Amino acid sequence: MNSVNQSPLTWMDVARRLAALAPNSPEFPPSIVRARVGWFGVELETRAQVSDEQIADWLEQLFPTRVRHQPLRLELDGPQHAAELPIETVVVDSESVFRQSFGIVDGVIEFSQPPRSDATIRPVPVVAALSVKGGTGRTTTATAFALRWAATINRPILLVDADLEAPGISYLFQGYAGTPKISLEDVITLAHSEEAVGAPETIAFAAERLRDHAIPGNLFVLPLRRDIDELASSSIRPEHLSTPDHPFALADVLSQIAEKLGCGGVVVDVRAGLVPLGVNLAMDPNVAPILVTTLADQSIRATAALVRFLAREMRRSGGFPRRPLLVINRVPAVFKQTGMDKKLIEPLVSDLLSSLVSDQPEEKAASQGIYDDLPELDPFLQVEIPELPDIQVLSGEWGSYVEQITGSGFSKIIGPGIDQWIAAELDSVSAHAPEAVQEIALPIHDTSRQELAVYSEQLIAAENAEGQVPKPLVTQSLAALAQRFQSEVPIAVSEGAKGTGKTLAARFFIAQGQWDKAVAELLGRTGAIGATLVPVCASIQSSAKFQSEVDAARGAAAKLLGLEKPMNIYETTSWLKEQFGVGHTEQAWVGIWLDVVAWSAGFKPATVGAGNDFIEWLRTKGHTIVAIIEGLEELYTTSSEPGVDTAMRAVLVSLPQKLRSEARRPVGVVVFARRDTVEAAVKQNLDQYRREYSAFALSWTEDDVLELAAWLATQSQALPDLWSPEFSALSLSDKTSRLERLWGKKLGPDDIPGKRTREAYTATWIIAVLSDLRGRLVPRDLVRLLSNAATNTPEEDEVSMYPGRLLVPRALRNAIEPTSNAKVHETEEEISELAPIFAKFRLQAEKVAAPLGTEALAEIGLDNSEVQTLIRHGIVFGQSPPYEVPELFRRGLGLRHTGARRSVVNLYRRARQR
């Protein structure tokens, strides 16, 4: 029965409905321990007497309008001989024994709670490749995974063929090695007949025989049968090994066989469909599932149904669904280009979220993080594989088959996803393997945390950083800026949000003095054009140090060019401010900006019209310069002031156009501009303008932010060897693995073999907390977060619990509130029009909850123009109410949060896709 057809036709429909019940649901009669359903009727076994009225009320909720009285029965839609199902209750004395469901509805439904037992500690991890529909590429995926896993951990992997209908791996093995000496069918039969607990003789026997089953790729293969041409199945099936005490005995046996072989893991290729073997492995809380599908509607729907079933049954048995690796094979290129793939996958993704993440409503205070206790923050890992012509028809010979997998690009495409999933979900080194070396994490001294705190605090306001100006982390945008302009001076606009590193980048360029020197520092490459760098505008308002650096750089440039003493930056800044109210045209402002460039270099200081003469003088002398412009926002209070938009459009649009038109380009310019400044000035063709300079935009990816964390730890000398220039080339899984020294793997105790903790992964949590819900990240937020976290000294028990971490979970959680408060305060200082709006939020602190619906907006007192201002500056997000609020703003604005965990996870997932 389902939402499409609620009418019970046969007793099997009744059994299915009862089998789907959660025993701990509020309406469930607690005394019912078992139901026996068949053609004869429904017999409910209870521990105590239950009245027919109570049973009838309960059944009415399950089968509306179908309950009949005197005698109690259910009306069905079947033929006359099966039109009713009698209901009887029987009081039983026997203890109810929980029986694990493996996808079979046989008419006996146990409602008892599962026994609490310690987690099974297996010597090596087990992975199951599952699909509901055939032809999805599951076997190819399982094989590619096994090969990659073996190469990653440099240990063999046991590859098990459990496809009862199409044992492809068995055929490949037979073609390579001949008749097998042992098979999965043999292992199950022998283990079933062995009386000793755990089947030790079977394990030893199978492992010894499997030594002759090694094949290239560092794999051992356990085929389905020794005679794969024999299609009849054994009457002894994998689920027959299960007992109430050991419901997942098959995986136990396979793991121990693999250990004896010296393997680092087991990969089981499971027959398509909802078969007991697949369900047994998928429901095992210590087996990691790979779900394989295509974009075909039947495959998508069937996979979603499998996940729903598994999640329901696992929760019935008191467990939690494992985080699966979702592999979507054969995605047409045109679907990727048009976004059709996301449209087709969305129903499956929605079902995955519904099944894997609780829909329990939660309310968080402003002082509580919505991500702090959300282990399902990233509930599954998704990999899409395009259509690959070279694997449309697969070889039957092992060597050629592997060559097809690798040569087609399949392994390369799926590889990063596999690496990330292995690092997060699998214990790569067994705690019990004899060759395993357990690394002892040494405690980190408090001075390391102090070094990180001090260094990060200095970088929060880059203009105030003491000492030698550090080379910024070379992100893609800085690398592109240096790479693009080797033979001619740069003319570029580098746009970024508040806190994306504009000031630090400008300080770095100014400190180098010459363009070729800056390029060599950033790229490690010589031969770029040798142009003198001249600072024109800078964020000096709160930094005497930066002001003196700019004046010193101007003096050095003037001396190098053989010019007189330049005007200092205070003088040129004051003069620019005076020009806003004069009413200059845009063309006049181009001349003003050129004059300031000339005066900053020491050419005819304070002389109006010097700019054009300076260009000609440079051309005549054979000199080139690059004007560095940053801190434009310090020239005015709001962009609505008279003349501001014209001046900003001149420097952002017309000045670059003018300089490009000059013969031999004697003057270049690099403008570091805030995003809202660009939006206020460039009112026409903004998208086209941004595309022109997109390569230089200071946008930070998740990888960039993770690398910045490592860079900070190394630059501060807190963890001197954590970062190196090669860090950016590492895979995401390798980056997160290295960062475990900084903040651990999880926001709590790390997993140990056989025991997984229900905690969010730290790197994922960091990205979620810093996200603006548009897929944009601000590095200053990370710097401030780490600075605040590093000031939290671990307690004595935390030192022993997290000996190898610089920052413990409590420190990271505690750092969010001061980071959020500082971000809100800083934002209203930088964008004055937000100050009165933020004041309204503070008056309603802890009274209003995000997402902000119509009533909440009215309670705060926000009109439509103020809401639009909040949207424009990224404080709230959405097309219409209710508006979501990024976590760092929510907490600093004093907003509670209401909503289901599933909604929070879905919001985060969508933000990452933008």
Side-chain angles (χ1 to χ4, degrees):
M1 290 173 55
N2 52 45
S3 58
V4 177
N5 177 17
Q6 292 290 341
S7 300
L9 184 66
T10 70
W11 67 266
M12 183 61 72
D13 294 327
V14 176
R16 286 185 186 279
R17 181 70 180 91
L18 293 175
L21 289 179
N24 56 354
S25 57
E27 68 278 3
F28 193 90
S31 58
I32 298 180
V33 296
R34 185 180 298 110
R36 299 182 186 276
V37 188
W39 59 268
F40 52 84
V42 178
E43 184 178 276
L44 298 174
E45 298 181 2
T46 67
R47 291 192 181 93
Q49 191 68 42
V50 183
S51 68
D52 281 359
E53 289 76 13
Q54 187 177 358
I55 295 294
D57 291 343
W58 173 57
L59 291 174
E60 184 65 35
Q61 297 178 52
L62 303 178
F63 308 99
T65 74
R66 296 290 173 159
V67 178
R68 300 292 179 264
H69 299 268
Q70 295 181 350
L72 188 62
R73 62 199 187 280
L74 286 175
E75 183 178 351
L76 306 179
D77 284 347
Q80 187 171 356
H81 77 276
E84 290 185 343
L85 216 63
I87 310 294
E88 293 185 3
T89 58
V90 179
V91 178
V92 294
D93 296 328
S94 61
E95 285 293 325
S96 177
V97 178
F98 179 79
R99 189 184 60 160
Q100 183 69 61
S101 168
F102 294 129
I104 297 176
V105 179
D106 58 4
V108 180
I109 301 103
E110 295 285 351
F111 294 129
S112 58
Q113 292 294 329
R116 292 193 175 275
S117 60
D118 295 332
T120 300
I121 299 179
R122 293 194 177 117
V124 299
V126 179
V127 172
L130 308 164
S131 67
V132 189
K133 194 173 181 299
T136 60
R138 186 201 63 252
T139 298
T140 301
T141 300
T143 304
F145 184 91
L147 290 167
R148 183 84 175 200
W149 195 5
T152 299
I153 64 175
N154 196 28
R155 293 178 66 188
I157 296 297
L158 176 60
L159 180 60
V160 181
D161 191 348
D163 189 336
L164 306 179
E165 290 185 346
I169 292 172
S170 300
Y171 283 112
L172 286 164
F173 176 79
Q174 186 185 60
Y176 176 81
T179 302
K181 295 186 176 181
I182 189 77
S183 70
L184 177 62
E185 184 179 77
D186 296 326
V187 169
I188 294 169
T189 304
L190 291 170
H192 184 261
S193 64
E194 187 173 346
E195 293 184 0
V197 176
E201 288 188 10
T202 298
I203 290 167
F205 178 82
E208 183 61 33
R209 293 222 161 190
L210 275 170
R211 297 189 189 283
D212 295 333
H213 282 211
I215 59 174
N218 206 10
L219 303 180
F220 287 96
V221 172
L222 181 62
L224 177 67
R225 301 187 192 92
R226 278 174 288 127
D227 183 3
I228 54 175
D229 292 326
E230 173 57 60
L231 299 181
S233 297
S234 166
S235 62
I236 306 297
R237 299 193 298 273
E239 59 270 24
H240 290 162
L241 299 181
S242 300
T243 66
D245 294 330
H246 300 283
F248 308 111
L250 175 61
D252 294 340
V253 169
L254 293 176
S255 179
Q256 292 179 66
I257 291 173
E259 182 198 22
K260 282 194 173 293
L261 276 171
C263 294
V266 180
V267 177
V268 186
D269 181 36
V270 183
R271 169 190 169 187
L274 192 65
V275 295
L277 170 59
V279 174
N280 182 290
L281 291 168
M283 287 187 60
D284 186 334
N286 291 301
V287 168
I290 301 175
L291 302 176
V292 187
T293 182
T294 65
L295 289 179
D297 179 67
Q298 292 179 358
S299 185
I300 290 285
R301 292 175 61 184
T303 304
L306 172 64
V307 173
R308 286 195 301 272
F309 170 81
L310 293 174
R312 182 191 77 201
E313 291 301 310
M314 289 191 77
R315 289 194 171 99
R316 270 178 57 87
S317 61
F320 298 95
R322 281 289 295 265
R323 179 179 183 238
L325 173 64
L326 175 64
V327 179
I328 304 168
N329 281 321
R330 298 204 297 273
V331 178
V334 67
F335 282 20
K336 291 283 289 183
Q337 294 164 1
T338 61
M340 180 62 72
D341 59 326
K342 288 184 174 59
K343 183 177 180 181
L344 293 173
I345 294 168
E346 188 55 38
L348 173 58
V349 169
S350 178
D351 272 317
L352 282 169
L353 290 175
S354 298
S355 301
L356 300 175
V357 183
S358 168
D359 201 25
Q360 179 181 353
E362 288 190 333
E363 181 167 323
K364 296 285 188 179
S367 59
Q368 296 176 305
I370 62 174
Y371 301 117
D372 285 1
D373 57 351
L374 196 59
E376 312 99 331
L377 190 53
D378 200 8
F380 61 92
L381 181 63
Q382 179 178 320
V383 179
E384 292 184 30
I385 310 295
E387 288 185 310
L388 301 171
D390 290 346
I391 57 172
Q392 294 299 321
V393 179
L394 290 165
S395 172
E397 192 273 321
W398 176 256
S400 299
Y401 176 67
V402 172
E403 286 180 8
Q404 281 183 284
I405 293 176
T406 55
S408 66
F410 187 95
S411 295
K412 183 178 180 180
I413 296 168
I414 199 174
I418 290 176
D419 293 343
Q420 186 178 348
W421 195 64
I422 286 174
E425 299 301 316
L426 302 176
D427 301 314
S428 297
V429 178
S430 164
H432 304 291
E435 67 271 29
V437 178
Q438 298 299 307
E439 182 177 336
I440 300 175
L442 298 176
I444 296 175
H445 201 271
D446 284 343
T447 54
S448 296
R449 278 177 280 272
Q450 293 168 4
E451 288 168 338
L452 178 60
V454 171
Y455 187 80
S456 299
E457 180 64 29
Q458 287 184 354
L459 284 189
I460 290 172
E463 60 270 24
N464 292 318
E466 298 294 330
Q468 182 179 355
V469 180
K471 183 177 81 172
L473 182 65
V474 184
T475 58
Q476 291 183 359
S477 54
L478 282 181
L481 184 61
Q483 173 63 43
R484 187 73 62 86
F485 300 103
Q486 298 275 316
S487 61
E488 60 181 1
V489 292
I491 297 175
V493 176
S494 183
E495 177 187 352
K498 303 175 294 295
T500 49
K502 300 182 298 299
T503 301
L504 183 59
R507 278 192 74 186
F508 168 76
F509 279 110
I510 292 168
Q512 304 312 303
Q514 292 288 314
W515 180 252
D516 58 341
K517 184 180 178 183
V519 170
E521 281 290 315
L522 292 173
L523 301 180
R525 184 182 306 167
T526 60
I529 187 170
T532 301
L533 301 179
V534 179
V536 176
C537 281
S539 300
I540 62 166
Q541 191 165 283
S542 60
S543 175
K545 177 173 178 54
F546 194 15
Q547 181 175 343
S548 65
E549 287 177 357
V550 170
D551 287 339
R554 286 184 175 188
K559 184 177 180 180
L560 191 65
L561 294 169
L563 297 171
E564 57 186 291
K565 182 180 179 180
M567 295 175 67
N568 63 47
I569 192 167
Y570 174 78
E571 294 170 330
T572 54
T573 298
S574 299
W575 190 80
L576 281 169
K577 290 179 178 180
E578 293 171 0
Q579 304 308 306
F580 286 134
V582 176
H584 295 299
T585 64
E586 187 173 326
Q587 192 58 41
W589 265 107
V590 172
I592 291 170
W593 284 110
L594 285 174
D595 285 350
V596 175
V597 171
W599 301 345
S600 301
F603 185 86
K604 298 181 180 180
T607 302
V608 175
N612 286 309
D613 293 343
F614 183 45
I615 292 175
E616 190 57 40
W617 181 85
L618 288 168
R619 194 159 29 229
T620 301
K621 294 290 186 178
H623 295 316
T624 54
I625 68 136
V626 178
I628 303 296
I629 299 177
E630 185 270 337
L632 291 169
E633 298 76 24
E634 291 192 359
L635 298 175
Y636 55 88
T637 303
T638 68
S639 59
S640 60
E641 293 174 9
V644 171
D645 59 341
T646 305
M648 294 302 106
R649 180 171 173 80
V651 72
L652 293 170
V653 180
S654 299
L655 178 63
Q657 291 175 348
K658 159 78 173 170
L659 295 178
R660 285 194 193 95
S661 69
E662 294 293 334
R664 300 195 300 279
R665 282 198 189 179
V667 178
V669 64
V670 177
V671 183
F672 293 97
R674 217 165 64 187
R675 182 178 290 127
D676 55 309
T677 301
V678 173
E679 291 170 350
V682 186
K683 294 183 172 64
Q684 293 182 341
N685 301 319
L686 177 60
D687 289 342
Q688 180 179 342
Y689 177 84
R690 281 178 162 155
R691 281 196 297 273
E692 181 178 359
Y693 298 116
S694 61
F696 317 125
L698 291 173
S699 55
W700 288 68
T701 66
E702 292 182 14
D703 279 5
D704 291 335
V705 168
L706 295 180
E707 183 174 2
L708 176 61
W711 181 84
L712 285 168
T714 294
Q715 293 293 321
S716 66
Q717 295 301 304
L719 297 173
D721 58 347
L722 181 59
W723 179 87
S724 67
E726 293 74 35
F727 193 96
S728 60
L730 297 176
S731 66
L732 180 59
S733 60
D734 286 340
K735 288 176 182 174
T736 55
S737 178
R738 282 202 184 186
L739 284 166
E740 289 177 20
R741 291 174 55 203
L742 175 63
W743 53 39
K745 183 175 182 178
K746 287 189 171 184
L747 207 63
D750 290 335
D751 298 334
I752 60 174
K755 184 178 181 180
R756 298 181 54 78
T757 57
R758 294 276 296 166
E759 299 283 356
Y761 292 101
T762 310
T764 303
W765 178 84
I766 291 283
I767 297 299
V769 166
L770 299 181
S771 172
D772 71 346
L773 304 182
R774 294 162 177 78
R776 300 190 302 230
L777 297 158
V778 177
R780 185 189 297 173
D781 295 337
L782 174 70
V783 176
R784 181 174 279 127
L785 176 69
L786 294 182
S787 176
N788 288 325
T791 61
N792 282 260
T793 302
E795 303 290 344
E796 187 175 341
D797 60 331
E798 292 174 321
V799 172
S800 59
M801 184 177 293
Y802 310 111
R805 303 188 192 187
L806 186 69
L807 304 174
V808 299
R810 179 185 57 82
L812 291 166
R813 288 190 176 99
N814 288 349
I816 299 301
E817 189 162 351
T819 301
S820 180
N821 291 335
K823 184 176 182 70
V824 169
H825 179 70
E826 177 182 83
T827 301
E828 63 185 336
E829 279 192 340
E830 293 180 344
I831 308 174
S832 58
E833 64 180 329
L834 288 173
I837 302 176
F838 283 4
K840 292 183 177 183
F841 277 94
R842 290 191 179 97
L843 290 175
Q844 302 298 325
E846 289 288 0
K847 298 178 183 177
V848 178
L852 298 175
T854 305
E855 291 184 5
L857 295 172
E859 190 173 348
I860 298 170
L862 299 178
D863 58 34
N864 184 62
S865 64
E866 290 173 318
V867 171
Q868 294 307 311
T869 299
L870 292 172
I871 292 173
R872 186 170 70 253
H873 291 293
I875 313 301
V876 303
F877 173 73
Q879 300 296 322
S880 60
Y883 297 104
E884 284 289 351
V885 183
E887 183 71 347
L888 283 186
F889 281 117
R890 179 189 73 84
R891 295 186 64 172
L893 291 172
L895 293 171
R896 295 182 291 106
H897 190 279
T898 59
R901 298 165 71 94
R902 187 182 303 160
S903 301
V904 174
V905 172
N906 193 38
L907 182 69
Y908 168 65
R909 185 188 66 83
R910 290 179 180 275
R912 295 185 75 185
Q913 292 178 340
R914 288 187 173 88

